[in-house]
Amino acid sequence: MTTLYHLPLSPYCRKVRLVLGEKELPFELKVEQVWERREEFEALNHAGTVPVLVEDDGLVVADSNAICEYLDEAYPERRLVGQTHQERAEVRRLVAWFDQKFGLQVTASLYGEKQLKRLLGQGPADAAVLRAGYANLKLHMQYLGWLVETRKWLAGPNLSLADFAAAAHLSTLDFMNEVDWAKYEAVKEWYALIKSRPAFRPLLGDKVSGLLPPRHYQDLDF
Amino acid sequence: MTTLYHLPLSPYCRKVRLVLGEKELPFELKVEQVWERREEFEALNHAGTVPVLVEDDGLVVADSNAICEYLDEAYPERRLVGQTHQERAEVRRLVAWFDQKFGLQVTASLYGEKQLKRLLGQGPADAAVLRAGYANLKLHMQYLGWLVETRKWLAGPNLSLADFAAAAHLSTLDFMNEVDWAKYEAVKEWYALIKSRPAFRPLLGDKVSGLLPPRHYQDLDF
């Protein structure tokens, strides 16, 4: 069976899990504590990061973007990167937006400072970094709001990888109770649609040692 | 004609220029001083970053990864992302390695601290960041050395986007005279092969205000 090496709260791993689920591909999850720098794992991915996908035939795909592009090429029945050049360009622009811009400006600041630093014993969160993260989160929520108010899904009329990339980051922050949903009604409605998809269900049951998600995290009518 | 909004020293723009050149696609370059936050430009790419590609028919593609994937799909005669799933996974893993890992750990530290800060009037370079950048550059050059000693091109037997991503970052650093080629003979040989391709020639003639490249930058037998 396909194996995905992951960490439960990594938004990049969550994005891949959503894609696998949406394509109804069976897979086995293995938690990889990347900070242990396990030799056998680093032989699979020299960067030492998750997610890494290993197929039955031995194919190894590292990096969340490489994995999602691969899955869309190998299992094209339910296209998630779009059909036309224009759709594909818009999906990829938004995936880069969330995985890189949002990832650096928000997720790394909040999840990185609060969770990863604690896990790695790197001391307390830096207040200035947190402040910047919260300020950036507001701006990104406004942009998300604009997207969902002008389009059915983030990249256009069809559900796509862009929705999963964005929802993955938000779900990590939501697990940490960092999203003030009441302030962003339109984004909340879009997120509720993603959250109610079967592919999302496993993420709602994730357990993370030392961190309890807020009650609304699992609730589909939050 | 296809238009590419760019900055001469951006490795992400350089990668796209190499791909356009390798595919022998005619294009027009427009320098976009992104820090001016020109409204018409931000309408093309809300992230306000280069590169942005605009096709004759009005198609806009933003983000260097989205552009390169688009070019390989729209102009597939000379495939640069690989053919098989395995080749494509390896090309994309390495593109992510150079554009993200190398980009953050080396290019952002050296080009970002020395060049961009000066351009943006953000004060002198931070010595600790530069030190980290140089230390990381050594490790990356060793990894590059291992790749070129075990394979014909970075991702395997065929020239690919991985070579252009890596060469783009190195060319930016080389323009700033930051690469000690004498220490990395195998990498130098690989880089000389890329440098001698017709697609590379325009990059050798780039002019950047306030920065003169070292003599060897333009030299094909450096």
Side-chain angles (χ1 to χ4, degrees), chain B residues 36-126:
Chain B
E36 291 176 355
R37 306 200 58 179
R38 205 163 55 84
E39 219 170 290
E40 298 89 327
F41 179 69
E42 298 205 344
L44 294 178
N45 179 18
H46 187 63
T49 54
V50 284
V52 173
L53 184 102
V54 182
E55 290 279 39
D56 271 344
D57 63 2
L59 177 70
V60 178
V61 193
D63 175 73
S64 82
N65 180 59
I67 296 173
C68 292
E69 293 278 359
Y70 158 70
L71 291 172
D72 224 41
E73 289 169 359
Y75 308 98
E77 294 72 26
R78 174 128 191 44
R79 281 263 177 201
L80 292 175
V81 186
Q83 301 279 356
T84 66
H85 289 313
Q86 191 165 5
E87 284 168 15
R88 293 169 76 76
E90 184 61 358
V91 169
R92 286 175 176 141
R93 177 185 78 82
L94 286 169
V95 170
W97 178 285
F98 290 104
D99 278 350
Q100 289 168 47
K101 199 174 172 70
F102 189 102
L104 277 174
Q105 295 179 341
V106 183
T107 315
S109 302
L110 302 181
Y111 168 59
E113 280 297 312
K114 286 193 171 180
Q115 259 314 96
L116 290 183
K117 268 178 126 174
R118 190 179 61 85
L119 255 173
L120 303 175
Q122 292 177 340
D126 181 324

Side-chain angles (χ1 to χ4, degrees), chain A residues 45-47 59-63 65-66 69-70 73-74 85-86 88-89 92-93 96-97 100-101 104 143, chain B residues 44-47 59-63 65-66 69-70 73-74 85-86 88-89 92-93 96-97 100-101 104 143:
Chain A
N45 179 17
H46 188 63
L59 177 71
V60 178
V61 193
D63 175 74
N65 180 59
E69 292 279 358
Y70 159 71
E73 289 168 359
H85 290 313
Q86 190 165 5
R88 293 168 76 76
R92 287 176 176 140
R93 177 184 78 82
W97 179 284
Q100 288 168 47
K101 199 172 171 69
L104 277 173
Y143 184 51
Chain B
L44 294 178
N45 179 18
H46 187 63
L59 177 70
V60 178
V61 193
D63 175 73
N65 180 59
E69 293 278 359
Y70 158 70
E73 289 169 359
H85 289 313
Q86 191 165 5
R88 293 169 76 76
R92 286 175 176 141
R93 177 185 78 82
W97 178 285
Q100 289 168 47
K101 199 174 172 70
L104 277 174
Y143 184 52

Side-chain angles (χ1 to χ4, degrees), chain A residues 4-23:
Chain A
L4 184 72
Y5 291 87
H6 86 131
L7 282 169
L9 280 192
S10 153
Y12 305 97
C13 298
R14 290 182 155 229
K15 178 184 66 175
V16 173
R17 290 163 71 193
L18 292 172
V19 169
L20 285 162
E22 193 69 24
K23 289 181 178 281

Side-chain angles (χ1 to χ4, degrees), chain B residues 76-198:
Chain B
E77 294 72 26
R78 174 128 191 44
R79 281 263 177 201
L80 292 175
V81 186
Q83 301 279 356
T84 66
H85 289 313
Q86 191 165 5
E87 284 168 15
R88 293 169 76 76
E90 184 61 358
V91 169
R92 286 175 176 141
R93 177 185 78 82
L94 286 169
V95 170
W97 178 285
F98 290 104
D99 278 350
Q100 289 168 47
K101 199 174 172 70
F102 189 102
L104 277 174
Q105 295 179 341
V106 183
T107 315
S109 302
L110 302 181
Y111 168 59
E113 280 297 312
K114 286 193 171 180
Q115 259 314 96
L116 290 183
K117 268 178 126 174
R118 190 179 61 85
L119 255 173
L120 303 175
Q122 292 177 340
D126 181 324
V129 174
L130 293 181
R131 263 198 307 279
Y134 287 121
N136 289 331
L137 176 56
K138 267 188 202 165
L139 296 173
H140 278 284
M141 290 300 276
Q142 287 161 10
Y143 184 52
L144 256 174
W146 178 81
L147 287 173
V148 296
E149 276 165 17
T150 51
R151 302 164 169 193
K152 189 167 175 218
W153 297 99
L154 294 192
N158 302 310
L159 175 73
S160 78
L161 187 58
D163 297 279
F164 292 134
H169 282 272
L170 281 179
S171 74
T172 295
L173 298 177
D174 195 35
F175 196 103
M176 298 169 62
N177 203 14
E178 300 289 4
V179 186
D180 188 353
W181 293 109
K183 280 192 184 152
Y184 307 100
E185 200 49 53
V187 181
K188 184 179 166 178
E189 275 173 36
W190 159 83
Y191 186 67
L193 286 178
I194 304 269
K195 203 169 161 177
S196 64
R197 297 188 81 80

Side-chain angles (χ1 to χ4, degrees), chain A residues 60-217:
Chain A
V60 178
V61 193
D63 175 74
S64 82
N65 180 59
I67 296 172
C68 293
E69 292 279 358
Y70 159 71
L71 291 172
D72 224 42
E73 289 168 359
Y75 307 100
E77 294 73 25
R78 175 128 191 44
R79 281 265 176 200
L80 293 174
V81 186
Q83 302 278 357
T84 65
H85 290 313
Q86 190 165 5
E87 284 169 15
R88 293 168 76 76
E90 184 61 357
V91 170
R92 287 176 176 140
R93 177 184 78 82
L94 286 169
V95 170
W97 179 284
F98 289 104
D99 279 350
Q100 288 168 47
K101 199 172 171 69
F102 189 103
L104 277 173
Q105 295 178 341
V106 183
T107 315
S109 302
L110 302 181
Y111 168 58
E113 280 297 311
K114 286 194 172 180
Q115 262 311 98
L116 290 184
K117 268 179 128 176
R118 190 179 61 84
L119 255 173
L120 303 176
Q122 292 176 342
D126 181 323
V129 174
L130 292 182
R131 263 198 308 278
Y134 287 121
N136 289 330
L137 176 56
K138 267 189 205 165
L139 296 174
H140 278 284
M141 290 301 276
Q142 286 162 11
Y143 184 51
L144 255 173
W146 178 82
L147 287 173
V148 297
E149 275 165 17
T150 50
R151 301 163 170 194
K152 188 167 175 217
W153 297 99
L154 295 193
N158 302 310
L159 175 73
S160 78
L161 188 58
D163 297 278
F164 292 134
H169 282 272
L170 281 179
S171 74
T172 295
L173 298 176
D174 195 36
F175 196 102
M176 298 169 63
N177 203 13
E178 301 289 6
V179 186
D180 189 353
W181 293 109
K183 279 192 184 152
Y184 307 100
E185 201 51 51
V187 182
K188 183 179 167 179
E189 274 174 37
W190 159 83
Y191 186 67
L193 286 178
I194 305 269
K195 204 170 161 178
S196 64
R197 298 188 81 80
F200 208 101
R201 205 162 305 141
L203 279 66
L204 298 178
D206 276 348
K207 302 257 180 290
V208 176
S209 147
L211 188 68
L212 211 62
R215 223 164 163 174
H216 75 252
Y217 174 77

